[in-house]
């Protein structure tokens, strides 16, 4: 376990603490960055700073285990400072960042470089996925426990122009090298290439076709093969951004328990084709695509039932200029790290989630999937990460609230019912009242050694 940096002292007073089972009127005392006491008779030391949470909800700090912050190499889209500022503004206190930066995070040196950068400039605690390639497949077992490593990421499809694990043999080598859970983007590359080739040369292609180009079959075929490989190798997998009812049915039918965990994203839970494309065009173009309503309904039920245990934003910022290119030249991706919490709080208002589900999906789910240590529900001994939320306010998402360099969200204007108003990382208020209050000495997440 890396030496924990000390944080601050803070008495979060007067709120209702949300746990996995209940919502209770309790205070939270954080000393030197760790939760010291949770209850009604908190004994805070004289002079302890106070954060008034009267009439508000107090959640444990939320973890976004799927973001792309684009540093190094793609900083015109986002960087670690701007992406993590958007994170803490949205109540996210820890993130796991993806390796498709430039260069890719595919070696210990490149991992260490990202850790150094984040220590210096991140507003939230962090970890970085290592990208599996044909070349490094046999070394991953040695690298996956390096400081700040969130685990291994495999990209099976073509996404962002790079095809890295095209064949089954390479994929099996990756799964046999190491023991930590492997996060997979599951779309079948060869099928995608054929279907995307059919688009080439057309001048009338429309983004409405995107879910047909990267079709259900590409996702279902890939996921079916991945479940087979997980059973064959015994390697634990995490299916990123499940996008189809067919994959949900596979997960239900195969019932592989902890061998395979699954993630849904807010855009797949809240948008549906074709309406979202007619209204937002390429701003909702993402891989894997948002599909028609039956998929959204199946994904929502899977989240409620616990078939899907993690919500990750898949924050994938591009500039508005890039998104304005004609389809299919327009890049896929939707910024979302700052809007996940208000959206899930809106699901609570709409009645299909409970407040406790946010703790299950954005804290317990990621902690269990990736073996994150020190983070979790508000209990003595855990890091003092917390989010104070005003559940009363329903208002249209304002564009000027967003901190991502992307400068847009397809959710702008949507009436959202629940807003983070103060974010605490290891006892320090890092974001409050629309402003960054402080930047913690951001630290790499600690992970339980792979078993
Ligand atoms: O839509 C996407 N954009 N999906 C991916 O897998 C990659 C991502 C990106 O990095 O832009
Ligand atoms: Zn992603």
């Amino acid at each position: 376990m890396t030496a924990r940096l000390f944080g601050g002292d803070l008495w979060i007073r007067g709120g209702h603490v949300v746990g996995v089972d209940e919502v209770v009127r309790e205070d939270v005392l954080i000393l030197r960055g760790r939760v010291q006491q949770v209850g009604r008779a908190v004994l805070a030391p004289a002079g302890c700073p106070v954060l008034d949470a009267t009439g508000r909800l107090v959640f444990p700090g939320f973890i976004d285990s799927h973001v792309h912050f684009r540093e190094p190499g793609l900083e015109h889209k986002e960087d670690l400072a701007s992406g993590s500022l958007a994170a803490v503004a949205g109540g996210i206190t820890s993130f796991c960042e993806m390796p498709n930066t430039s260069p890719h995070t595919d070696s210990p040196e490149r991992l260490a470089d990202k850790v150094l950068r984040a220590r210096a400039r991140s507003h939230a605690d962090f970890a970085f996925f290592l990208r599996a390639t044909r070349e490094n497949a046999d070394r991953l077992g040695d690298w996956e426990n390096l400081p700040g490593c969130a685990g291994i990421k495999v990209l099976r499809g073509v996404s962002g122009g790079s095809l890295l694990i095209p064949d089954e043999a390479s994929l099996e080598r990756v799964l046999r090298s190491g023991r930590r859970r492997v996060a997979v983007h599951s779309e079948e590359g060869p099928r995608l290439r054929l279907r995307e080739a059919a688009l080439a040369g057309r001048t009338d292609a429309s983004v409405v076709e995107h879910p047909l180009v990267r079709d259900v079959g590409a996702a279902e075929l890939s996921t079916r093969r991945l479940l087979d490989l997980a059973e064959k190798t015994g390697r634990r997998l995490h299916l990123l951004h499940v996008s189809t009812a067919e994959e949900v049915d596979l997960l239900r039918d195969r019932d592989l328990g902890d061998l395979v965990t699954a993630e849904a994203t807010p855009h797949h839970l809240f948008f549906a084709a074709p309406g979202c494309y007619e209204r937002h065009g390429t701003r909702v173009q993402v891989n894997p695509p948002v599909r028609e309503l039956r998929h959204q309904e199946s994904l929502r039920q899977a989240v409620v039932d616990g078939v899907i245990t993690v919500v990750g934003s898949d924050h994938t910022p591009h500039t508005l200029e890039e998104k304005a290119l004609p389809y299919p030249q327009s890049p896929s991706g939707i910024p979302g790290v700052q809007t996940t919490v208000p959206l899930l709080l809106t699901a609570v208002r709409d009645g299909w989630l409970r407040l406790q589900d946010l703790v299950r999906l954005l804290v317990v789910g990621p902690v269990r999937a990736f073996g994150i240590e020190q983070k979790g529900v508000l209990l003595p001994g855990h890091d003092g990460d917390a989010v104070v939320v005003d559940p009363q306010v329903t208002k249209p998402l304002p564009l000027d609230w967003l901190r991502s360099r992307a400068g847009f969200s397809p959710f702008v204007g949507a009436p959202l019912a629940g807003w983070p108003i103060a974010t605490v990382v290891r006892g320090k208020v890092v974001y409050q009242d629309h402003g960054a209050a402080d930047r913690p000495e951001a630290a790499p997440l600690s992970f339980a050694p792979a078993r």
Side-chain angles (χ1 to χ4, degrees), residues 146-179:
L146 287 169
C149 181
I152 306 303
K153 162 73 183 289
V154 168
L155 175 63
R156 291 213 68 217
V158 174
S159 184
S162 54
L163 175 69
L164 282 130
I165 295 287
D167 58 289
E168 298 290 298
S170 305
L171 182 54
E172 186 163 338
R173 280 172 51 219
V174 170
L175 298 189
R176 292 190 184 282
S177 170
R179 306 178 68 78

Side-chain angles (χ1 to χ4, degrees), residues 66-68 70 74 77 98 100-101 131 153 155 158-161 185 187 210 214 240-241 267 285-289 314-318 323 331-334:
H66 188 171
V67 298
H68 301 250
R70 309 302 197 194
L74 301 166
K77 297 176 190 279
M98 291 294 168
N100 64 330
T101 38
R131 162 153 275 162
K153 162 73 183 289
L155 175 63
V158 174
S159 184
H185 177 134
E187 290 185 280
H210 192 54
R214 299 180 78 105
L240 298 168
H241 40 47
H267 40 272
Q285 176 191 337
V286 67
N287 299 338
D314 195 13
H315 178 79
T316 40
H318 296 286
K323 289 298 259 184
S332 293
I334 300 175

